[in-house]
Amino acid sequence: EPQIEVLHHWVSESEVAALNTIREALAAKGYGWQDSAVGGMSGGNMQQALRSRLASGNPPGAMQFIGWEGVDWSGQGVMRDLNALDEANGWEATIAPQVLPFVKDGEDLIAVPVNMHRQNWVWASTAAFDKAGIDQPNTWAELIASGEKLKAAGVVPLAMGDEPWQIQVIFDALVADIGGPDFYRKAVVDLDEEALSSDTMKQVFDTLRQVRGLVDDGFTGRDWAVATGMIISGDAAMQVMGDWAKGEFLAKGMKPGIDFLCFATPSETPSYQFLVDSFGMFEVDDPEITEAQDALAEVVMDPTVQHDFNQLKGSIPARTDLSVDDFDECAQKSFKDRTAAIENNAMLGAATHGFASQPQFSAVFGDVTAQFFVGDMSSEDAVQMLVDGINNAR
Amino acid sequence: MTRKKSLSARLAEWLPRLVMVPSLLVILVGVYLFIAWTGWISLSSSRMVPQYDFVGLEQYYRLWATPRWHTAVANLFIFTALFLAVTIAIGLIMAILLDQNIRAEGALRAIYLYPMALSFIVTGTAWKWILNPDLGIQRVVNDLGWESFVFNWITQPNFAIYTIVIAAVWQSSGFAMAIFLAGLRGIDNSVIKAAQMEGATLPRVYGSIIVPMLRPAFLSVIVLLSYIAIKNFDLVLAMTNGGPGGSTEVPSTFMFSATFRRNQMGVGAASAMMMLMTVAAIIVPYLYSELKESRDGH
Amino acid sequence: MATKYGSTARSRRHGRILIYGSLVVLAAIYLMPLWVMITTSLKSLDEIYGGSFIGLPKAVTFEAWARAWNQACIGTSCTGLQPYFINSLMMVIPAVLLSTGLGALNGYVLTKWRFRGSNLIFGLILFGCFLPFQAVLLPIAQVLGKLGLSGSITGLILVHTVYGLCFTTLFFRNYFVTIPDELVKAAQIDGAGFLRIFISIMLPAALPIIVVSCIWQFTQIWNDFLFGVSFTTGDATPVTVALNNIVNVTMGRKQYNVDMAAAMIAALPTLLVYVVAGRYFVRGLTAGAVKG
Amino acid sequence: MATLEIDRVRKAYGTMEVLKEVSISIGSGEFLVLLGPSGCGKSTLLNMIAGLEGITDGQIRIDGDVVNDLSPKDRDIAMVFQSYALYPTMTVRQNIEFGMKIRGIPAVERDKSIREAAALLQMEHLLDRRPSQLSGGQRQRVAMGRAIVRNPKLFLFDEPLSNLDAKLRVDMRTEIKRLHQRLGTTIVYVTHDQIEAMTLASRVAVMKDGIVQHLDDPQVVYDRPANVYVARFVGSPAMNIIPGRLVDGAEGLELEMDEPKGGTSRISGAAVSEAARRRYAGRPVLVGIRPEGFSLAEPGQQAIQAAIEVVEPTGPDTLAMFTMGGVEVIARLAPRSAQAGQMASLAVETAKVVLFDPQTEIRID
Amino acid sequence: MATLEIDRVRKAYGTMEVLKEVSISIGSGEFLVLLGPSGCGKSTLLNMIAGLEGITDGQIRIDGDVVNDLSPKDRDIAMVFQSYALYPTMTVRQNIEFGMKIRGIPAVERDKSIREAAALLQMEHLLDRRPSQLSGGQRQRVAMGRAIVRNPKLFLFDEPLSNLDAKLRVDMRTEIKRLHQRLGTTIVYVTHDQIEAMTLASRVAVMKDGIVQHLDDPQVVYDRPANVYVARFVGSPAMNIIPGRLVDGAEGLELEMDEPKGGTSRISGAAVSEAARRRYAGRPVLVGIRPEGFSLAEPGQQAIQAAIEVVEPTGPDTLAMFTMGGVEVIARLAPRSAQAGQMASLAVETAKVVLFDPQTEIRID
Ligand SMILES: Nc1ncnc2c1ncn2[C@@H]1O[C@H](COP(=O)(O)OP(=O)(O)OP(=O)(O)O)[C@@H](O)[C@H]1O
Ligand SMILES: Nc1ncnc2c1ncn2[C@@H]1O[C@H](COP(=O)(O)OP(=O)(O)OP(=O)(O)O)[C@@H](O)[C@H]1O
Ligand SMILES: [Mg+2]
Ligand SMILES: [Mg+2]
């Protein structure tokens, strides 16, 4: 049976379970799945493995991309286009327009998206809220203010770790929530110097400094799932994290809306900061593999596969034309919010995970926010550092 | 006057040189050609994949304009200096203590040496917990009743690099101990007796006479520890992943993330060249003096 | 009674207590991380997430070890570390033997068959010890690709052999300079040639340093992650890469007990080597490696 | 300058007895040489005097004071080691200075002592070198210099010359002798080289297996060794010990020894006491003759006939080997006076012949 | 058995000339000793004979065949090294066997050779030990055994005894001498010990700084050394070289030397050729007198008066030191015949006095 090697960095249980739906569907078509998982370093290890393999002229059949990776590799001329399949199946129309830039290189479709995560969620413990006698906050000011009450009740207001990406998740949310979607696009996506050095940006950092006050001292080296565990146990009240955290609650048998809350980070115009996992196919000589690549693309875009996959992964389908009625409450909320955001032009690529700017730039945001968050840098300095860093990386 | 030598005789004469050829060849390619390649990349505009163009020293300017690189360089020096000093001190003390006709020497030696067997990935994780104020030492001491005890260096950007030093010292001091012990075992006992006859106390005997005699052992310890310090990569990743706030970045992690996470291959190559130049500046004079000495000596 | 260096009886006893005390305290500190790893691997996940990392497990369970060995999932294959462990063995043994063998040969030539420029060659090789490998990953990959060795254990063996050569050459050269040249002369007069002398005379005499070199190489190669993750894929990856894949879940919850059990399993061979051969290690260092 | 008394001293490592009741006492300014083969306990005894080894039993007294429990530095002694034990990282000056520094002697005085010692030992030009830059003899001098500046009651030397080559050994030997004459300090000197013992000592203690075999003036030890062991150990080539018989012959008491091809040789005139004569007459004895006890017989002189097997010219003398009484015998003769394969008539200086009991191997007086 | 010719051989390492035109030739069965101080090039020459070092210039011929370009194994030689160079990981048997194995000699023959060599060297009981389990002398024997089984044309020895203690050295020396007598092989033997050279050699080459100073019979080298250097190097204690003057005095030609307290001593009867007499009469010369050239003067004998400073009894003799001609002089006298601090009348054996030119230091005939 023809095999296709898939390079990916999904190694956790829920990820693997989701991946198995694709694997099984592929097997049903008569193709084998050869697993090449490389975890760690937020995909950095995988990137390095990929570069080595490309350098040695031995690329994998397919690879799981996030952010601009697919497009970037396509720019190096190593990807296959999937235009024929796209035209035959009319895939493009089913994909949210804001996602298209991440799977298309010019006119060519170079990857197929399987899911969509939302990054700017707040996960909250109802028990903790009740204990401190507070409700879901509607603005960041409220959220910050509730911190005092929570602390008084012996609850950590905000659970998080000090990894740069965890801090950046909050930063992304703050930029969009305080500056609005357009400001986000200008500052984080277009890297407009004026926006970057604006007062709004300073305000974002000021708020971030206040958020720091909500976090306990033990946040060093804390894994995000450990932080989620604090919400589950009621030791902490809230966590700002993508919807991959949801699995942790469900695994404990907790009910959304009852035992825990999921709501978007507070804002006047709630944004939808998305991540998309997609599969791209590398140019290879072996026609058998090319065939398998086609099969894999079809499987990934298959509505039932997307449906099953996302129920296991905690995300929602990349296709916008699917029903999610049998998904959990948070997923349904996500689905509805997405529709609204598409209308409001509030669909934003999650900068933390590479959906805004090129990695060399998004890393600068990570550097600055992380350094700002753990240290005692002033907002002015942070803004200046941001501008310098971005300019240096250009 | 001299007759022509037979072919086999000539082959025998050249055989020693011939057997060196494969090693030399792979080293020339694997080390020097690749260094040259890296050097070239550092002068190119490479981002995601190698580009073979020429942009001058642009990547070096960029590198030195990156605050994280400054942190990395500063950290490398802090780390190397402290790591060497503390590891040598502890290794030496352990070796001296173990050299006093200790009963369970074998077992103790094994205990001090075993961390060397573990990978940094493994031990870094363990140390991360031990040093975590909420989980590790601080918590244990607090639970024991000393509430005000604080040991939260790993959370402090200004102190986190020292926690990496702690873990690295733990990992390598047994090795230093082994080398020093080997050196001590080679010292003529009568020197110690002579010093004692002159009335020197034991600390004085060690301080003035024995430790200076360990020069060769010091040299090899320094070489091997520098090697570990410069290559320090896994440990930082496992313990702090460069954090908090990028405060524990070191050149090797910088190089890695520039090349593989940030699509700045040119900057990564430039940082690699900077590291190589630093190493060369230290090692080449040392090698030169050592080899010259051995030429004179034998 | 028989101290190494005599002094009066009373101060001697106090000194002894102090010495043993310090040694025991140091030993405790050195054992702590191992303690943490072992206890964690014997705890249940709930207990760990309950907040207790340090401290004895309330209920000892070996489940994590079993999982780590042959159940834990890496990607979609749930084979545990077992197959990767075997990969590592298949890689480490030839790589250690090759690099040690070549290092011995180099050391032999560089000390007993010096020629013009041999010191320079030694210097060139030695400098290779300090090469930051991150910098040369891509060219290595290119060369491996050209050789058709990419993604294979053979390629990994080659890479480890090449970069291990620097240290093994250093070890053997420093050892062989302590062996008198007369030995080679005597063998030459006995009629032995270059290789015969190496095999019959030098190698048997180099046993202590062979042990040092093997231990060093074994540890380095077994614990290597960078080359493993760069130059192998899928089923061919060594155990450290598999360990990384088990441990480094990007999204999803960490199974600390399995992680620790897996880490212990991955560390067992090197620990074993140190415990079994550690004595010879120190002896080998004594026998000559010490000279810088 | 001090007297030294070693009084029934014993030393055991665990159950292994290294020294078995050693008693030696020497006067102020004497030069005692401990002579014996490797492993006989010489260094152990010296280390015990120095305080570097504990004393299992017995007493050591310096100037009449028991020093058993004093630490080395309080015994006021200096020691020169076989390996010299120079501190390799210090210059010669620092080596010599180290002990004085520790004893807190002011810099001016230190300097003076160093200069004096350097002048005495002719090593002023070496003061700034390191031990590794010195030759064997120079190192030896530095080690002595280090000892001299202490100006101790007692000097201990542990085989200080055995690392030097033959030529240098002779020179340094003389230098030590001179030094002793000049300083007059009491010296205990360990060696396994009997020539050193003979030339240096005012008293020699020949040791074997932790027991003193013979303690006396060197010339007495040489001429009338206490037993066969001492006879063989002292002197090079060694004393010939030839099995023979004491017979009351025609010319009074005679010594009879077998010739290799049958037949016997006889020499008369050995100095034997009346008691020994009664006891041993007609019985086997061991006849001890030094190589220089032989000489080419002048015509008419009482002589033995020797079939010379090997001849070794040493320059000033020739050593001739032949067989007598079933053992190989060496005679020291004038150069070119004998040739291998020929017969020689050899006279024996009977006054210097020594007899031993074949069972106990003790000298018969 | 072979002849060996070293014909104007030179050796340079880079620009450093270690051997400068050395020519030596010896006949079959001879025992050549290369004698000289450390660093004079003895080992280098030996290594060149063995083929372990290249020859910069000149020829080496064994049995008349030029061997310059032959590899060591093709020269049919055997060599014994100072450090013995035993293969440490092999047993004695394997050590001896190794060379034969390589040359493909069948096991039965190998076994026979080993047994013979072991019997010859009395080491049958050592065959299964490793070198580390042997004493110095035993190792030395094994090294010789390894050489003997090759049954070579030429034996080379590089200071084979210098790692042994004095006692053992004497024994092994005799053993090597015997071995040579028994096997009759040509031997080249390197040493810096002149006693070894004297006792072993049939020819001695005294070397210094890469030049052969004197090549002759040992006794000739001893009695009539070619120059002051050789005179001083051969003999222990060394020949006394006393500055003096050749004067035509009352009793014919006389040698005049200064006494320390003023005044002169004279001895007459030195053997000087007519030519030398003419040339040196009334001029300063160096007077060479061996220590044994002195003896206690009998009444009426021509004698010099010596103020004895130090006395060293060695057992068979006594060495007495005094000053003459401004230098220290050593006389070898009978035991107890002199005492420090006293005057002694010493006779000089004039026939053995040698004279040297003070400028060139070459012997005056
Ligand atoms: N610390 C020790 N433990 C056990 N035995 C010892 C110890 N030190 C010395 N010995 C033994 O005591 C004996 C005498 O040793 P010592 O060093 O006094 O001999 P030596 O006469 O000085 O010999 P050498 O001439 O070789 O120096 C030897 O048999 C030695 O093995
Ligand atoms: N490989 C070499 N390169 C340069 N110089 C050398 C070499 N080998 C020997 N020499 C020099 O040649 C000289 C003669 O050395 P050689 O070993 O022949 O002396 P030797 O007479 O055997 O001395 P020893 O008695 O110490 O063994 C010495 O000065 C030595 O330093
Ligand atoms: Mg001793
Ligand atoms: Mg030599």
Side-chain angles (χ1 to χ4, degrees), chain B residues 30 32 100 112 114 173 220, chain C residues 16 23 30 124 131 163 270 290:
Chain B
Y32 296 94
Q100 309 298 318
Y112 299 148
Y114 89 90
S173 46
S220 28
Chain C
R16 295 255 104 188
L23 285 170
Y30 274 75
L124 284 177
L131 184 71
Y163 293 100
T270 44
V290 159

Side-chain angles (χ1 to χ4, degrees), chain A residues 19-222:
Chain A
L19 214 48
N20 269 327
T21 61
I22 298 180
R23 182 179 185 154
E24 279 154 21
L26 195 62
K29 283 187 157 229
Y31 295 97
W33 164 288
Q34 196 192 328
D35 203 277
S36 276
V38 182
M41 298 283 292
S42 319
N45 287 334
M46 185 183 70
Q47 281 296 318
Q48 180 218 323
L50 175 66
R51 277 169 172 77
S52 296
R53 299 203 41 184
L54 284 170
S56 61
N58 175 33
M63 178 172 157
Q64 167 232 341
F65 288 132
I66 57 170
W68 295 107
E69 286 169 7
V71 180
D72 287 342
W73 283 116
S74 177
Q76 303 301 332
V78 295
M79 308 293 304
R80 263 187 73 201
D81 72 64
L82 304 168
N83 295 342
L85 287 168
D86 180 24
E87 271 159 37
N89 296 302
W91 285 341
E92 205 173 314
T94 68
I95 302 169
Q98 290 80 0
V99 172
L100 282 177
F102 298 99
V103 294
K104 284 190 75 174
D105 182 18
E107 290 305 306
D108 298 334
L109 186 74
I110 46 89
V112 282
V114 64
N115 70 344
M116 195 178 263
H117 277 293
R118 184 186 199 180
Q119 181 186 281
N120 58 332
W121 283 109
V122 178
W123 307 91
S125 157
T126 38
F129 274 20
D130 292 347
K131 195 171 171 192
I134 55 168
D135 291 325
Q136 175 182 331
N138 291 314
T139 63
W140 275 100
E142 265 181 57
L143 193 152
I144 290 160
S146 66
E148 290 308 313
K149 283 192 195 146
L150 286 163
K151 277 188 200 159
V155 177
V156 175
L158 193 67
M160 66 178 293
D162 72 339
E163 295 171 280
W165 72 270
Q166 289 195 46
I167 299 167
Q168 218 185 332
V169 162
I170 296 179
F171 177 79
D172 283 357
L174 286 174
V175 173
D177 293 344
I178 291 171
D182 288 333
F183 178 73
Y184 182 96
R185 267 188 285 269
K186 249 203 221 146
V188 180
V189 181
D190 300 338
L191 306 169
D192 178 63
E193 191 165 342
E194 204 175 306
L196 284 172
S197 53
S198 65
D199 285 345
T200 315
M201 193 53 90
K202 286 193 189 113
Q203 204 187 327
V204 168
F205 276 107
D206 289 341
T207 317
L208 189 60
R209 175 65 69 222
Q210 288 174 307
V211 170
R212 170 71 182 87
L214 305 177
V215 181
D216 62 323
D217 270 343
F219 80 135
T220 311
R222 184 183 285 156

Side-chain angles (χ1 to χ4, degrees), chain C residues 183 185 187 189-190 192 201 204, chain E residues 47 52 81 86-87 89 102 150:
Chain C
L183 228 48
K185 292 185 179 171
I189 288 181
D190 269 344
I201 313 282
Chain E
N47 283 335
L52 297 168
F81 296 86
L86 300 182
Y87 310 131
T89 53
I102 285 178
R150 299 215 39 184

Side-chain angles (χ1 to χ4, degrees), chain E residues 90-213:
Chain E
M90 301 184 188
T91 62
V92 169
R93 183 191 307 279
Q94 290 166 330
N95 260 285
I96 298 176
E97 206 172 9
F98 183 70
M100 294 192 281
K101 253 189 184 158
I102 285 178
R103 271 168 289 123
I105 292 170
V108 189
E109 256 176 71
R110 294 206 302 260
D111 225 57
K112 192 163 148 271
S113 300
I114 294 172
R115 249 181 298 118
E116 279 171 13
L120 189 66
L121 296 164
Q122 294 160 25
M123 54 175 194
E124 290 100 334
H125 58 296
L126 305 176
L127 286 176
D128 293 315
R129 296 212 203 151
R130 278 173 205 284
S132 59
Q133 298 164 317
L134 301 179
S135 73
Q138 291 170 333
R139 285 181 206 184
Q140 219 283 324
R141 268 197 202 112
V142 175
M144 295 216 294
R146 194 167 65 177
I148 286 171
V149 293
R150 299 215 39 184
N151 197 12
K153 277 192 201 162
L154 197 59
F155 264 124
L156 307 178
F157 287 87
D158 193 351
E159 312 204 14
L161 304 183
S162 63
N163 279 354
L164 303 181
D165 70 26
K167 204 95 191 163
L168 204 51
R169 203 144 52 202
V170 174
D171 294 348
M172 292 306 296
R173 199 170 76 197
T174 312
E175 234 168 274
I176 290 177
K177 179 118 194 180
R178 254 170 233 258
L179 204 69
H180 179 235
Q181 286 182 354
R182 209 165 315 166
L183 301 174
T185 317
T186 315
I187 291 180
V188 181
Y189 184 106
V190 161
T191 183
H192 60 250
D193 180 348
Q194 51 86 27
I195 289 265
E196 266 171 45
M198 294 303 294
T199 50
L200 290 174
S202 63
R203 308 257 282 162
V204 177
V206 182
M207 294 178 66
K208 184 192 166 197
D209 295 342
I211 294 172
V212 175
Q213 305 280 328

